Amino acid sequence: MKKIDLDSSVAVVNRCCSAVRLKYELEYRRLLMAFNVWIGVCLSLVIACGSPRADDENTLQAKWTPTAVTDNGQLAVKGTQLVNQKGDPVVLRGVSFGWSNWWSQFYNDGAVGWLVNDWHCTVIRASMGVGPQGSYLDRPEWSKKLITTVVDAAIKNDVYVIIDWHDHNAHQRTDEAVAFFTEMARRYGDCPNVIYEIYNEPVEVSWDEVKKYSNVVISAIRKIDPDNIILVGTPHWDQDIHLAADAPIQNQRNLMYSLHFYADTHRQDLRNRADYVLNKGLPLFVSEYGGCAASGDGPLNLEEWESWVRWMEANKISSVVWSISSKDETCSMLPATAGNNGNWPPETLKPSGKQARKLLRKYNVSSPEKIDEPKSVLKNEMLSNGDFAGGKKNWTIDQAAGAKAEVVVNKEGPNGASAFRMDVVDVGEEPWNLQLYQGNLKVREDQEYRLTFWVKSNYEGTIKVICMQNHDPWEHSTEQEILISEQWKKKEFIFSGPWNDENARITFTDLATDDDRVYWFAKVSFQPVVSQK
């Protein structure tokens, strides 16, 4: 039990009273929204003599109700997964404010409300600048006021919020960080909305030093708040996550580790590293990312951005896009003319803002039961004998240029399921000379598909899975490099078909890398994703 003095008791009572007021305010907004939706439907019937189009943006907006915290409550970490109070997986998606010392004009209730209700954020990141002139070290009370304004607005709007110590040298300011997070824990430790990010991006510093700092700050928070999630940074701008996976922080609960990427710079190699980390059991949270280069500028790489989104969705990893600011750079999402308090017309957003808003509105969809319930269902299995219950039927082994493998179907799959086992005998000339595939699959343009399968090997490495044409000119729809290990792992990818084709195929390739390799595949499924109406 937490010990509190009289002043603390009064503060708790005040917060409870505020929570009650917020509860009734939220209920009022829900009733008002429902009334507005009813009026809109009636007007649509009168004017259009029909129901609204399911893909109309206004219709989608009317369906959105921000209830992330009401639906999920206290978050926790189970294995590598962020889960809600019922133990069900949760994926939070949102945006990050820019450095508070430079973009303080956006740190207000109106901007938060707009990001929640128009962009459909379920998490907001408040990035308190530490280090540059005019930031926390120079103006601590002003800086804290900006952060608490955003946190209070997020609580009011029923979403989660990250309190971010936005610093590249936090290990040199341990005492200051402890004092700040102690104050924040005392103020918000009873609120399930709050997530603490204790070190934004360590740069030229060892993992041992980061871990030493983190242990001190975590202990300070846990003296007051035993439950809320804490995000831990890793060296080299939160990309050397493998160092934390090899030597994680011990004897602490509800920790996750920050992964940051910028899609035009950080590509498949970093995703492979992240797969390694997940396979080691380290939970990840993408607390900052962008679609451009790591400098924050340059062109948007939408293809790599989509690849990262598919990877995060497949692994149920929460993410936050950088940044709500009007700086003249690519990752800044607002134009120089943007108002301070939200109400930003979608057509005026910069390209990064348009893409971020589009993705948030696509993936963050309200559910009357639970917020993380997928908006899509799978129908119409396209593979024949994907579970290998019929042996090798419908599957083809491509052995070219001298490559050779011995294959058998047995019961070595997960939980005794059927598995396709391939023992490499000769590698031939190139890694792709040995493939396992199934063709005669019909794909169509702009349709989303989900591929899932289980895989393991007798070594740690990578192979590729490709959806491609099964005929000339053999074009690829999607190509994904995957990390494999000696343990069964379930893999899942979602992608869109770029063309209409009556004879496509799913291919597992790059299997001819060494003549002592053994691969197992099980429970392969390829299905169209059909949106619920």
Side-chain angles (χ1 to χ4, degrees):
M1 177 179 291
K2 301 175 184 177
K3 295 182 179 179
I4 57 175
D5 57 21
L6 181 58
D7 290 340
S8 299
S9 300
V10 171
V12 171
V13 171
N14 286 337
R15 284 205 303 275
C16 291
C17 292
S18 297
V20 171
R21 288 197 300 272
L22 291 177
K23 177 180 178 182
Y24 284 106
E25 287 175 11
L26 182 58
E27 186 63 27
Y28 170 77
R29 290 200 305 275
R30 289 176 183 164
L31 291 172
L32 183 60
M33 179 177 289
F35 178 74
N36 288 337
V37 171
W38 180 79
I39 290 295
V41 171
C42 292
L43 288 175
S44 298
L45 288 170
V46 171
I47 295 171
C49 296
S51 60
R53 289 170 49 205
D55 60 347
D56 182 84
E57 186 166 308
N58 293 326
T59 303
L60 291 174
Q61 175 67 16
K63 293 178 181 178
W64 170 252
T65 304
T67 57
V69 180
T70 296
D71 290 344
N72 292 292
Q74 182 67 54
L75 300 177
V77 178
K78 183 167 66 175
T80 61
Q81 183 62 58
L82 184 67
V83 298
N84 65 15
Q85 59 192 358
K86 298 178 182 178
D88 298 325
V90 174
V91 180
L92 303 179
R93 308 174 189 87
V95 296
S96 175
F97 284 98
W99 290 74
S100 61
N101 48 295
W102 289 316
W103 306 106
S104 60
Q105 68 267 36
F106 300 119
Y107 279 65
N108 60 71
D109 182 275
V112 172
W114 186 258
L115 291 168
V116 172
N117 290 290
D118 183 72
W119 290 40
H120 294 186
C121 292
T122 55
V123 61
I124 299 289
R125 183 179 186 235
S127 303
M128 189 183 72
V130 182
Q133 185 175 2
S135 63
Y136 175 75
L137 300 180
D138 300 322
R139 306 174 70 185
E141 296 305 317
W142 176 79
S143 297
K144 286 186 289 187
K145 179 61 177 176
L146 294 176
I147 299 307
T148 57
T149 296
V150 169
V151 175
D152 291 344
I155 294 171
K156 175 182 175 181
N157 283 277
D158 205 25
V159 297
Y160 293 94
V161 59
I162 299 171
I163 300 176
D164 166 33
W165 181 268
H166 206 75
D167 189 0
H168 295 304
N169 297 286
H171 62 289
Q172 299 174 359
R173 296 183 260 268
T174 304
D175 291 344
E176 292 87 343
V178 165
F180 171 77
F181 282 108
T182 297
E183 183 174 344
M184 292 298 105
R186 284 175 177 160
R187 178 164 182 159
Y188 296 114
D190 296 323
C191 299
N193 310 65
V194 170
I195 298 170
Y196 308 100
E197 185 172 6
I198 61 176
Y199 198 154
N200 165 46
E201 286 180 344
V203 184
E204 299 297 332
V205 57
S206 70
W207 169 237
D208 285 342
E209 192 70 24
V210 174
K211 186 158 60 167
K212 177 182 177 182
Y213 160 87
S214 299
N215 272 316
V216 173
V217 179
I218 292 166
S219 296
I221 294 172
R222 289 295 184 237
K223 288 178 182 177
I224 304 161
D225 181 352
D227 301 314
N228 282 336
I229 303 297
I230 298 175
L231 306 183
V232 179
T234 53
H236 196 246
W237 292 275
D238 290 340
Q239 279 125 48
D240 284 353
I241 47 177
H242 60 294
L243 301 178
D246 292 338
I249 292 171
Q250 300 292 331
N251 303 317
Q252 294 288 353
R253 58 190 292 269
N254 289 344
L255 300 186
M256 305 189 83
Y257 294 78
S258 300
L259 166 63
H260 290 183
F261 68 84
Y262 284 82
D264 196 43
T265 299
H266 311 115
R267 306 190 182 191
Q268 188 59 49
D269 285 348
L270 187 55
R271 289 193 289 275
N272 290 343
R273 181 180 292 178
D275 282 333
Y276 167 83
V277 165
L278 294 174
N279 287 336
K280 293 274 286 189
L282 198 77
L284 295 177
F285 193 116
V286 177
S287 59
E288 180 183 315
Y289 82 88
C292 56
S295 64
D297 223 339
L300 283 181
N301 189 329
L302 294 179
E303 182 178 353
E304 276 297 318
W305 189 337
E306 290 284 355
S307 294
W308 272 106
V309 168
R310 289 195 296 269
W311 179 85
M312 291 187 291
E313 293 301 314
N315 289 285
K316 294 184 172 61
I317 290 179
S318 298
S319 61
V320 175
V321 189
W322 178 268
S323 70
I324 296 300
S325 63
S326 54
K327 186 178 180 180
D328 184 20
E329 66 178 8
T330 305
C331 66
S332 176
M333 294 190 275
L334 302 180
T337 57
N340 296 343
N341 303 307
N343 296 306
W344 305 307
E347 65 274 10
T348 67
L349 299 174
K350 292 166 66 176
S352 180
K354 290 178 180 178
Q355 179 70 0
R357 179 178 179 272
K358 174 185 173 183
L359 291 170
L360 289 167
R361 291 171 67 90
K362 175 181 178 180
Y363 288 102
N364 283 343
V365 177
S366 296
S367 166
E369 290 157 3
K370 58 182 181 179
I371 197 73
D372 63 314
E373 191 71 24
K375 72 166 186 175
S376 305
V377 293
L378 297 176
K379 296 181 179 180
N380 304 322
E381 174 61 52
M382 297 173 65
L383 292 177
S384 298
N385 192 34
D387 60 1
F388 302 108
K392 294 176 281 185
K393 183 180 179 181
N394 301 110
W395 290 93
T396 300
I397 307 299
D398 190 355
Q399 304 176 80
K404 184 179 179 182
E406 296 178 351
V407 298
V408 64
V409 174
N410 55 32
K411 291 291 186 180
E412 296 177 352
N415 299 317
S418 297
F420 188 102
R421 173 172 171 158
M422 176 185 296
D423 291 70
V424 179
V425 176
D426 199 324
V427 296
E429 298 177 358
E430 300 289 349
W432 59 82
N433 289 153
L434 191 57
Q435 303 181 354
L436 170 65
Y437 71 89
Q438 183 171 146
N440 298 313
L441 304 175
K442 296 179 181 180
V443 297
R444 62 181 177 85
E445 188 176 4
D446 297 328
Q447 168 68 52
E448 281 194 333
Y449 297 90
R450 179 179 278 118
L451 173 67
T452 60
F453 58 93
W454 290 74
V455 62
K456 75 169 186 175
S457 182
N458 64 340
Y459 83 114
E460 289 190 358
T462 61
I463 63 173
K464 290 181 180 178
V465 58
I466 305 173
C467 179
M468 59 186 293
Q469 290 179 325
N470 197 30
H471 55 81
D472 286 333
W474 309 100
E475 292 182 352
H476 295 179
S477 164
T478 184
E479 179 176 309
Q480 182 75 43
E481 191 171 59
I482 60 172
L483 187 69
I484 56 175
S485 68
E486 296 180 17
Q487 303 298 320
W488 279 109
K489 296 293 181 181
K490 184 180 180 181
K491 304 293 182 179
E492 180 177 296
F493 308 109
I494 298 176
F495 61 91
S496 297
W499 27 245
N500 296 313
D501 200 289
E502 298 295 309
N503 185 12
R505 79 186 200 185
I506 293 295
T507 303
F508 297 99
T509 186
D510 282 13
L511 304 177
T513 56
D514 202 317
D515 58 14
D516 65 351
R517 299 287 187 251
V518 182
Y519 303 95
W520 291 263
F521 300 92
K523 300 182 179 181
V524 186
S525 174
F526 183 59
Q527 302 177 329
V529 178
V530 182
S531 296
Q532 293 177 340
K533 303 297 184 184

